[in-house]
Amino acid sequence: MLQDRYGNPVSTRSQGAIDKYNAALELIRLYRGDPIAALDAALEEDPNFTMAWAARAGVLVQQTDKAYLGEIDRSLKAGQALPGNERERAHLAAAQAWARGHMDDSVSKYARIAQNNPTDLFAVQTAHVGCFFTGRQQELRDGPLQALRAFKRDDDGYHALLGMAAFGLEECGDYARAEALGTEAVSLDPRDAWAIHAVAHVHEMRGDVERGVPWLRDSAQDWSPENGFAFHNWWHLALLHLDRGDAKSAITMYDTKVRPNADATAILECIDASALLWRLHLEGVGTGNRFAKLAACWESRIEDGHYAFNDLHAIMAFLGAGRRKDAERVLTAMRCAAMKTDDNAYMSRAVGIPLCEAFLAFDMGRFAETVEKIAAVRGIAQRFGGSHAQRDILSLTVLHAALRAGLKPTAEAFASERVAHKPESPWARNLAERARKLVAA
Ligand SMILES: [Fe+2]
């Protein structure tokens, strides 16, 4: 029986197919190139390659985009019609659970595959990404740490495990170990955009612009070319510019790196674009027609109600573009989605809807209501996924709302928290100064 590049048995008997599948696996762990095209090339060699179909579905579910459901279904049906070994069939079942909206069950299934097959880096990675989307922070850290037992430093893919462990450690607040493991991963493979990203998060959480800016800027030639994740690392660099109080550089970064194609509709890119423009909007920085262009890219998702985290970012774009009615349509779709029985229904009920109501209230000038609604769910907001850095949009919005509502003690409290986390951030110190000078309403 043939094996993949990590030593996991696969059901294909075509060496050509396994060669192309192995190439896809490297792209997947590096977020480089087009892994779906690479998997399609493997399936062209052997259309009966069960694991390639399973991987195709597994990569597509991670996009959190309703638009891919048809292709996911096609991949699952093709794979399920074939014989396959136990691991391959488990992969199909895990991807199917995600596609059916049962993300938590899917993550548990991928994690079990990884525990039983610790060299299955694709299972480790998909579980890791799933933990990110479902707010399972400890497992985000512990899954990769568990799999490290099957790897030695020189083994193929070891850097990717270190990078994943680094990100999980960061999300659990263990910044020193996160930085050490992430830096080691990058030294093993400088193209590892996820490991670069893990260390960028450490700098972001500390507000350490002096180290964070050069960390990303000076390594970009390694992780940026042909990388489908590069836009997100550029977004992190833009955030560090904002922390420095340099909105002009953040906008330049938006135009040239985060959003080089203003018409692109890839949902993960639209999320970062919304989040960056909203930060600028909070600060009253003019963003020209950027919100309008971005809102046009969200338009086809208004009725989706597919993933609450995405919906909140769609609402930011519509509000920024002055399209409140469309923001309200997103909220209506979320309320419908909340009545279902899948994981997104829970996420929408517990976190997504209150936050979207809070952002709409902000747009209507009802700032005290924004404060109440965000403060009520900010502490459990990981339940609708994302990273601490992404959910920082909640902390910034609640602070700005408190400032505008004239809620002096509230604003001072949120601002003090921020400076405690980011003592070196000029933006955080500036916000604290504004809270201190605030005249209570
Ligand atoms: Fe990030």
Side-chain angles (χ1 to χ4, degrees):
M1 189 178 270
L2 289 174
Q3 298 178 341
D4 70 16
R5 62 187 301 149
Y6 307 122
N8 302 291
V10 286
S11 55
T12 186
R13 290 179 185 157
S14 161
Q15 188 57 48
I18 196 74
D19 289 344
K20 292 200 161 74
Y21 177 70
N22 281 336
L25 287 180
E26 187 181 44
L27 296 180
I28 290 167
R29 79 178 190 225
L30 290 169
Y31 296 87
R32 271 175 94 86
D34 183 348
I36 294 298
L39 289 168
D40 286 345
L43 287 163
E44 210 165 287
E45 293 279 343
D46 179 7
N48 296 323
F49 187 173
T50 308
M51 189 57 222
W53 286 116
R56 199 174 186 280
V59 169
L60 289 174
V61 294
Q62 295 176 43
Q63 304 305 308
T64 68
D65 191 343
K66 202 172 187 174
Y68 291 117
L69 285 181
E71 272 302 296
I72 294 165
D73 211 38
R74 184 172 79 82
S75 306
L76 290 172
K77 279 189 178 134
Q80 284 160 346
L82 296 167
N85 63 38
E86 191 181 337
R87 187 183 64 91
E88 291 172 314
R89 305 209 70 73
H91 267 276
L92 287 164
Q96 177 161 297
W98 194 322
R100 299 284 182 270
H102 303 297
M103 294 164 74
D104 259 319
D105 182 36
S106 174
V107 171
S108 299
K109 283 182 160 66
Y110 277 116
R112 292 293 290 153
I113 299 169
Q115 285 182 329
N116 292 328
N117 309 271
T119 60
D120 185 344
L121 199 58
F122 178 66
V124 178
Q125 185 178 353
T126 312
H128 182 68
V129 173
C131 286
F132 170 78
F133 286 125
T134 52
R136 291 163 66 156
Q137 290 153 334
Q138 279 91 349
E139 290 159 287
L140 192 65
R141 172 196 64 194
D142 294 339
L145 290 177
Q146 289 174 7
L148 276 171
R149 74 190 190 280
F151 284 77
K152 293 192 290 294
R153 199 170 190 277
D154 293 335
D155 285 348
D156 181 34
Y158 178 71
H159 69 90
L161 270 181
L162 286 182
M164 285 187 265
F167 183 61
L169 286 161
E170 179 278 324
E171 287 295 293
C172 290
D174 192 343
Y175 299 142
R177 277 208 297 169
E179 185 174 359
L181 266 62
T183 304
E184 188 183 350
V186 174
S187 74
L188 290 170
D189 193 334
R191 300 171 303 166
D192 190 333
W194 191 254
I196 286 277
H197 170 247
V199 178
H201 265 263
V202 171
H203 297 314
E204 167 65 25
M205 296 313 291
R206 289 170 164 162
D208 191 347
V209 294
E210 297 308 319
R211 295 179 66 218
V213 170
W215 170 257
L216 286 168
R217 185 192 59 205
D218 299 345
S219 60
Q221 70 282 357
D222 296 320
W223 53 260
S224 179
E226 294 173 47
N227 196 301
F229 189 66
F231 72 92
H232 185 71
N233 278 337
W234 290 121
W235 176 79
H236 274 283
L237 183 52
L239 292 196
L240 288 161
H241 284 311
L242 282 182
D243 251 323
R244 205 155 56 174
D246 183 359
K248 193 160 172 258
S249 294
I251 290 178
T252 301
M253 197 61 55
Y254 179 92
D255 290 338
T256 59
K257 301 295 187 185
V258 177
R259 202 75 185 139
N261 175 6
D263 300 320
T265 56
I267 212 156
L268 298 173
E269 292 180 32
C270 290
I271 287 169
D272 284 353
S274 287
L276 182 51
L277 291 186
W278 187 264
R279 281 165 168 81
L280 292 161
H281 178 60
L282 288 174
E283 282 295 318
V285 176
T287 53
N289 65 350
R290 291 175 183 83
F291 263 125
K293 285 188 169 177
L294 179 61
C297 296
W298 278 108
E299 214 162 76
S300 64
R301 272 81 178 229
I302 289 176
E303 312 284 350
D304 274 9
H306 185 60
Y307 181 42
F309 185 83
N310 298 354
D311 296 332
L312 175 62
H313 287 80
I315 278 178
M316 288 179 216
F318 287 125
L319 293 178
R323 295 173 56 174
R324 192 185 296 156
K325 282 217 168 338
D326 287 321
E328 285 167 347
R329 284 173 66 201
V330 175
L331 183 56
T332 301
M334 292 174 82
R335 289 184 175 133
C336 291
M339 288 187 276
K340 296 183 183 172
T341 55
D342 59 14
D343 291 353
N344 181 58
Y346 164 73
M347 291 175 177
S348 299
R349 282 194 303 272
V351 181
I353 290 171
L355 288 178
C356 289
E357 288 171 348
F359 277 60
L360 270 155
F362 187 94
D363 188 60
M364 289 185 263
R366 302 199 310 252
F367 299 118
E369 181 184 334
T370 303
V371 171
E372 290 303 321
K373 287 195 157 135
I374 295 182
V377 298
R378 192 177 66 122
I380 58 160
Q382 73 275 11
R383 293 179 191 171
F384 86 154
S387 64
H388 293 298
Q390 286 176 308
R391 290 189 306 272
D392 188 39
I393 199 88
L394 310 179
S395 300
L396 283 166
T397 304
V398 77
L399 171 52
H400 274 270
L403 286 170
R404 291 178 201 205
L407 298 170
K408 187 174 171 65
T410 311
E412 283 180 331
F414 284 128
S416 297
E417 166 199 307
R418 191 163 195 84
V419 171
H421 289 309
K422 299 183 163 204
E424 303 304 322
S425 160
W427 190 14
R429 290 202 299 265
N430 176 281
L431 284 164
E433 189 60 12
R434 277 187 257 172
R436 194 183 64 79
K437 288 181 178 164
L438 185 68
V439 177

mmCIF file of all heavy atoms in Angstrom, residues 11 40 114 145 160 188 216 220 224 232 257 294 309 312 314 344 359 370 400 422 424 430:
data_model
loop_
_atom_site.group_PDB
_atom_site.id
_atom_site.type_symbol
_atom_site.label_atom_id
_atom_site.label_comp_id
_atom_site.label_asym_id
_atom_site.label_seq_id
_atom_site.Cartn_x
_atom_site.Cartn_y
_atom_site.Cartn_z
ATOM 1 N N SER A 11 -5.289 4.796 -0.242
ATOM 2 C CA SER A 11 -5.859 3.701 -1.023
ATOM 3 C C SER A 11 -5.486 3.728 -2.498
ATOM 4 O O SER A 11 -5.748 2.756 -3.202
ATOM 5 C CB SER A 11 -7.388 3.717 -0.881
ATOM 6 O OG SER A 11 -7.878 4.987 -1.239
ATOM 7 N N ASP A 40 -6.899 18.377 -7.544
ATOM 8 C CA ASP A 40 -7.553 17.999 -8.799
ATOM 9 C C ASP A 40 -6.567 17.290 -9.727
ATOM 10 O O ASP A 40 -6.939 16.355 -10.450
ATOM 11 C CB ASP A 40 -8.150 19.230 -9.489
ATOM 12 C CG ASP A 40 -9.426 19.714 -8.785
ATOM 13 O OD1 ASP A 40 -9.981 18.935 -7.970
ATOM 14 O OD2 ASP A 40 -9.852 20.849 -9.039
ATOM 15 N N ALA A 114 -6.374 12.620 14.230
ATOM 16 C CA ALA A 114 -4.996 13.036 14.512
ATOM 17 C C ALA A 114 -4.415 12.294 15.707
ATOM 18 O O ALA A 114 -3.232 11.940 15.724
ATOM 19 C CB ALA A 114 -4.969 14.549 14.768
ATOM 20 N N LEU A 145 0.483 20.039 19.944
ATOM 21 C CA LEU A 145 1.434 19.545 20.959
ATOM 22 C C LEU A 145 1.352 18.024 21.075
ATOM 23 O O LEU A 145 2.362 17.341 21.256
ATOM 24 C CB LEU A 145 1.159 20.198 22.321
ATOM 25 C CG LEU A 145 1.497 21.684 22.445
ATOM 26 C CD1 LEU A 145 1.116 22.215 23.822
ATOM 27 C CD2 LEU A 145 2.984 21.954 22.174
ATOM 28 N N ALA A 160 5.601 22.935 10.505
ATOM 29 C CA ALA A 160 4.176 23.297 10.512
ATOM 30 C C ALA A 160 3.544 22.985 11.859
ATOM 31 O O ALA A 160 2.703 23.746 12.363
ATOM 32 C CB ALA A 160 3.448 22.559 9.393
ATOM 33 N N LEU A 188 13.153 26.928 10.376
ATOM 34 C CA LEU A 188 13.174 25.663 9.631
ATOM 35 C C LEU A 188 12.606 25.836 8.227
ATOM 36 O O LEU A 188 13.050 25.195 7.281
ATOM 37 C CB LEU A 188 12.362 24.595 10.380
ATOM 38 C CG LEU A 188 12.981 24.098 11.684
ATOM 39 C CD1 LEU A 188 11.987 23.238 12.458
ATOM 40 C CD2 LEU A 188 14.248 23.312 11.405
ATOM 41 N N LEU A 216 7.312 41.267 10.523
ATOM 42 C CA LEU A 216 6.530 40.993 9.321
ATOM 43 C C LEU A 216 7.180 41.618 8.081
ATOM 44 O O LEU A 216 7.327 40.954 7.052
ATOM 45 C CB LEU A 216 5.103 41.530 9.494
ATOM 46 C CG LEU A 216 4.215 40.706 10.423
ATOM 47 C CD1 LEU A 216 2.943 41.462 10.773
ATOM 48 C CD2 LEU A 216 3.852 39.360 9.779
ATOM 49 N N ALA A 220 8.794 39.394 4.633
ATOM 50 C CA ALA A 220 7.674 39.248 3.683
ATOM 51 C C ALA A 220 8.084 38.574 2.376
ATOM 52 O O ALA A 220 7.272 37.866 1.764
ATOM 53 C CB ALA A 220 7.055 40.615 3.401
ATOM 54 N N SER A 224 5.268 35.853 1.636
ATOM 55 C CA SER A 224 4.214 36.507 0.865
ATOM 56 C C SER A 224 3.980 35.952 -0.541
ATOM 57 O O SER A 224 2.827 35.781 -0.946
ATOM 58 C CB SER A 224 4.506 38.008 0.795
ATOM 59 O OG SER A 224 3.512 38.650 0.049
ATOM 60 N N HIS A 232 -3.657 38.162 5.181
ATOM 61 C CA HIS A 232 -3.930 38.238 6.612
ATOM 62 C C HIS A 232 -2.693 38.704 7.387
ATOM 63 O O HIS A 232 -2.806 39.478 8.343
ATOM 64 C CB HIS A 232 -4.416 36.884 7.120
ATOM 65 C CG HIS A 232 -4.825 36.920 8.564
ATOM 66 N ND1 HIS A 232 -5.961 37.555 9.007
ATOM 67 C CD2 HIS A 232 -4.218 36.427 9.685
ATOM 68 C CE1 HIS A 232 -6.049 37.447 10.331
ATOM 69 N NE2 HIS A 232 -5.001 36.765 10.756
ATOM 70 N N LYS A 257 -1.903 45.685 -0.176
ATOM 71 C CA LYS A 257 -1.617 44.318 0.273
ATOM 72 C C LYS A 257 -2.838 43.560 0.797
ATOM 73 O O LYS A 257 -3.022 42.390 0.513
ATOM 74 C CB LYS A 257 -0.551 44.349 1.380
ATOM 75 C CG LYS A 257 0.765 44.975 0.972
ATOM 76 C CD LYS A 257 1.466 44.160 -0.093
ATOM 77 C CE LYS A 257 2.857 44.704 -0.383
ATOM 78 N NZ LYS A 257 3.509 43.980 -1.501
ATOM 79 N N LEU A 294 -16.141 47.663 -0.776
ATOM 80 C CA LEU A 294 -16.135 46.426 0.006
ATOM 81 C C LEU A 294 -17.559 45.905 0.223
ATOM 82 O O LEU A 294 -17.817 44.697 0.105
ATOM 83 C CB LEU A 294 -15.449 46.680 1.355
ATOM 84 C CG LEU A 294 -15.372 45.499 2.302
ATOM 85 C CD1 LEU A 294 -14.582 44.344 1.687
ATOM 86 C CD2 LEU A 294 -14.742 45.920 3.633
ATOM 87 N N PHE A 309 -19.690 34.911 12.612
ATOM 88 C CA PHE A 309 -18.484 35.748 12.615
ATOM 89 C C PHE A 309 -18.390 36.535 11.310
ATOM 90 O O PHE A 309 -18.067 37.727 11.305
ATOM 91 C CB PHE A 309 -17.256 34.847 12.804
ATOM 92 C CG PHE A 309 -15.960 35.589 12.953
ATOM 93 C CD1 PHE A 309 -15.583 36.105 14.189
ATOM 94 C CD2 PHE A 309 -15.112 35.774 11.866
ATOM 95 C CE1 PHE A 309 -14.381 36.789 14.327
ATOM 96 C CE2 PHE A 309 -13.917 36.451 12.006
ATOM 97 C CZ PHE A 309 -13.547 36.961 13.229
ATOM 98 N N LEU A 312 -21.092 39.446 11.119
ATOM 99 C CA LEU A 312 -20.740 40.685 11.814
ATOM 100 C C LEU A 312 -19.843 41.560 10.931
ATOM 101 O O LEU A 312 -19.998 42.784 10.876
ATOM 102 C CB LEU A 312 -20.032 40.373 13.140
ATOM 103 C CG LEU A 312 -19.511 41.596 13.913
ATOM 104 C CD1 LEU A 312 -20.652 42.524 14.321
ATOM 105 C CD2 LEU A 312 -18.715 41.188 15.144
ATOM 106 N N ALA A 314 -19.741 41.511 7.666
ATOM 107 C CA ALA A 314 -20.559 42.052 6.565
ATOM 108 C C ALA A 314 -21.272 43.311 7.045
ATOM 109 O O ALA A 314 -21.328 44.329 6.341
ATOM 110 C CB ALA A 314 -21.571 41.004 6.102
ATOM 111 N N ASN A 344 -23.893 27.098 13.956
ATOM 112 C CA ASN A 344 -24.008 28.529 13.690
ATOM 113 C C ASN A 344 -25.259 29.126 14.343
ATOM 114 O O ASN A 344 -25.268 30.305 14.687
ATOM 115 C CB ASN A 344 -24.011 28.800 12.183
ATOM 116 C CG ASN A 344 -24.107 30.281 11.902
ATOM 117 O OD1 ASN A 344 -23.263 31.060 12.356
ATOM 118 N ND2 ASN A 344 -25.147 30.694 11.192
ATOM 119 N N PHE A 359 -23.553 46.871 17.017
ATOM 120 C CA PHE A 359 -22.917 47.668 15.959
ATOM 121 C C PHE A 359 -23.956 48.545 15.250
ATOM 122 O O PHE A 359 -23.668 49.690 14.890
ATOM 123 C CB PHE A 359 -22.167 46.759 14.972
ATOM 124 C CG PHE A 359 -20.780 46.373 15.448
ATOM 125 C CD1 PHE A 359 -20.599 45.673 16.631
ATOM 126 C CD2 PHE A 359 -19.646 46.720 14.725
ATOM 127 C CE1 PHE A 359 -19.330 45.322 17.089
ATOM 128 C CE2 PHE A 359 -18.377 46.383 15.169
ATOM 129 C CZ PHE A 359 -18.218 45.683 16.349
ATOM 130 N N THR A 370 -24.861 50.266 22.764
ATOM 131 C CA THR A 370 -23.709 49.516 22.225
ATOM 132 C C THR A 370 -22.846 48.990 23.370
ATOM 133 O O THR A 370 -22.428 47.825 23.365
ATOM 134 C CB THR A 370 -22.863 50.434 21.314
ATOM 135 O OG1 THR A 370 -23.694 50.938 20.279
ATOM 136 C CG2 THR A 370 -21.683 49.676 20.722
ATOM 137 N N HIS A 400 -14.838 52.934 22.253
ATOM 138 C CA HIS A 400 -15.251 54.129 21.513
ATOM 139 C C HIS A 400 -16.693 54.504 21.839
ATOM 140 O O HIS A 400 -17.031 55.688 21.936
ATOM 141 C CB HIS A 400 -15.083 53.913 20.009
ATOM 142 C CG HIS A 400 -13.692 54.234 19.545
ATOM 143 N ND1 HIS A 400 -13.326 55.489 19.122
ATOM 144 C CD2 HIS A 400 -12.588 53.471 19.473
ATOM 145 C CE1 HIS A 400 -12.044 55.482 18.800
ATOM 146 N NE2 HIS A 400 -11.565 54.265 18.991
ATOM 147 N N LYS A 422 -1.199 46.342 26.475
ATOM 148 C CA LYS A 422 -0.343 46.887 25.416
ATOM 149 C C LYS A 422 0.370 48.143 25.905
ATOM 150 O O LYS A 422 0.119 49.245 25.402
ATOM 151 C CB LYS A 422 -1.208 47.245 24.197
ATOM 152 C CG LYS A 422 -1.942 46.078 23.569
ATOM 153 C CD LYS A 422 -2.686 46.575 22.322
ATOM 154 C CE LYS A 422 -3.067 45.403 21.457
ATOM 155 N NZ LYS A 422 -3.249 45.746 20.062
ATOM 156 N N GLU A 424 3.154 49.405 25.448
ATOM 157 C CA GLU A 424 4.008 50.154 24.507
ATOM 158 C C GLU A 424 3.228 50.708 23.323
ATOM 159 O O GLU A 424 3.829 51.255 22.392
ATOM 160 C CB GLU A 424 5.136 49.240 23.975
ATOM 161 C CG GLU A 424 6.013 48.617 25.046
ATOM 162 C CD GLU A 424 6.636 49.675 25.943
ATOM 163 O OE1 GLU A 424 7.019 50.744 25.443
ATOM 164 O OE2 GLU A 424 6.720 49.429 27.160
ATOM 165 N N ASN A 430 -3.098 56.711 23.847
ATOM 166 C CA ASN A 430 -3.920 57.831 23.385
ATOM 167 C C ASN A 430 -5.392 57.658 23.793
ATOM 168 O O ASN A 430 -6.052 58.602 24.235
ATOM 169 C CB ASN A 430 -3.776 57.926 21.856
ATOM 170 C CG ASN A 430 -4.661 59.009 21.273
ATOM 171 O OD1 ASN A 430 -5.857 58.804 21.097
ATOM 172 N ND2 ASN A 430 -4.073 60.167 20.983
#
